[in-house]
Amino acid sequence: MLQFINIKAWFLALSVGSGWVIGRGDTWTRLYETLPVFMLFGIASNLTYALIGASLRRWLRGPNDTARRLQWFNRSMALALLATVVWMGSSARQPL
């Protein structure tokens, strides 16, 4: 369901639709070429996210010391988020 509100997916669909599919003489051919590619990548990425999430859930709910694993995972994710914010902040100040 979250893919329906994913702004990057909407921009990709709009840009491919307007730049590659629509406005050409062979619109239907181009649509039939791009649709399977989008479906393949969409299914593959969603299945990959599901597999990683299921594996991570299984690991975090391991047989022993579950609280410690979850705490370290949350700390690691917080550090990754902080590093991303610092990186974005430092690159925003630099002129292009």
Side-chain angles (χ1 to χ4, degrees):
M1 273 318 272
L2 286 177
Q3 292 300 332
F4 288 110
I5 58 172
N6 186 350
I7 193 69
K8 294 178 298 230
W10 281 103
F11 275 116
L12 177 65
L14 289 172
S15 63
V16 169
S18 64
W20 175 255
V21 176
I22 298 174
R24 312 286 180 159
D26 55 347
T27 300
W28 289 107
T29 304
R30 288 175 179 254
L31 180 66
Y32 291 139
E33 289 173 352
T34 56
L35 186 62
V37 173
F38 270 73
M39 288 176 63
L40 176 71
F41 279 104
I43 290 171
S45 66
N46 285 330
L47 287 176
T48 302
Y49 278 119
L51 178 65
I52 291 170
S55 299
L56 188 59
R57 179 179 56 194
R58 204 173 314 123
W59 181 76
L60 287 173
R61 292 184 181 176
N64 49 3
D65 211 11
T66 302
R68 178 173 278 176
R69 284 184 186 183
L70 187 58
Q71 188 177 33
W72 278 107
F73 176 76
N74 286 335
R75 286 178 181 170
S76 300
M77 292 297 105
L79 284 174
L81 181 61
L82 180 64
T84 303
V85 168
V86 168
W87 172 61
M88 289 176 69
S90 66
S91 65
R93 287 188 241 150
Q94 297 174 358
L96 296 176

